[in-house]
Amino acid sequence: MKTTPSLMEAPVVATPILDQFKKALTPSSGKEPTLEDKLSALSEPDLKTVMAQSRIAHMSARMQRKVHGAPPETYGELLQSMYPKSNNDLLSLVAEVLQETDPILEESIVPRYKKKPKFEREAAAQFYVDSLKPKQSDVNQFIADAGLEQGDEQLEFMFNGDADEV
């Protein structure tokens, strides 16, 4: 049974905005769009933003690898720290582009950076305290240069575990 619109009902006219809503709300074919599809759907300004952020984030990741010997975080984490107020959809796309072109494997991330401290001030204070501790090799060199003996009671504080082992 076919129903025809009554005279009182206005005909539905397809508009570009209505078409966008229909496209967004209708179930997709179940296939995730490829990176190429996502990039081709971007406007020109968004594409330029993705390109610029990709270049800067990739350069930053390379510098971090040189400093730490391995990447301290994923591209997504890096981008969130670099652009905290930026569009999250664009940032995830930038991270996807970078991961596709120069992947960072989860197991290659420096382990000590995976466990972030609750407070940044705590981490900075701990880093400062750690930098003040002498290495055991430095303590031994000092004792030898000063002509002291390892068993001297005045030097006992150096051997109570405060110095780092090398």
Side-chain angles (χ1 to χ4, degrees):
M1 183 173 195
K2 198 176 199 185
T3 60
T4 57
S6 68
L7 293 173
M8 299 304 279
E9 291 178 8
V12 177
V13 179
T15 62
I17 295 173
L18 185 60
D19 287 340
Q20 287 179 350
F21 275 107
K22 284 181 181 179
K23 187 185 284 186
L25 297 175
T26 55
S28 62
S29 63
K31 188 175 101 174
E32 183 72 24
T34 64
L35 180 58
E36 186 69 33
D37 294 337
K38 291 176 188 177
L39 290 172
S40 63
L42 291 177
S43 65
E44 189 65 30
D46 284 344
L47 194 58
K48 286 182 180 180
T49 300
V50 167
M51 181 62 76
Q53 288 179 344
S54 297
R55 285 183 182 143
I56 294 168
H58 188 252
M59 193 180 330
S60 177
R62 285 186 11 221
M63 287 187 333
Q64 285 183 350
R65 280 186 196 148
K66 284 186 177 186
V67 169
H68 299 290
E73 56 193 350
T74 64
Y75 286 122
E77 294 166 340
L78 174 67
L79 287 162
Q80 280 298 327
S81 67
M82 290 175 68
Y83 305 105
K85 294 183 180 181
S86 186
N87 181 343
N88 286 334
D89 293 334
L90 285 181
L91 288 183
S92 65
L93 194 56
V94 171
E96 197 174 335
V97 166
L98 289 171
Q99 187 64 25
E100 183 74 25
T101 56
D102 186 17
I104 292 179
L105 303 175
E106 185 68 30
E107 58 270 6
S108 70
I109 295 174
V110 178
R112 70 173 177 241
Y113 293 102
K114 284 184 183 178
K115 300 174 190 158
K116 302 226 183 223
K118 291 182 182 177
F119 302 102
E120 292 295 324
R121 292 175 68 185
E122 234 177 80
Q126 187 60 46
F127 178 76
Y128 178 71
V129 168
D130 288 346
S131 69
L132 294 177
K133 290 181 183 177
K135 295 179 184 171
Q136 189 61 44
S137 60
D138 293 338
V139 171
N140 292 339
Q141 184 66 41
F142 172 76
I143 291 171
D145 291 346
L148 303 172
E149 296 181 20
Q150 294 263 347
D152 192 347
E153 289 180 14
Q154 293 177 346
L155 299 176
E156 194 60 37
F157 74 94
M158 291 186 178
F159 301 104
N160 63 5
D162 287 344
D164 289 337
E165 294 295 325
V166 177

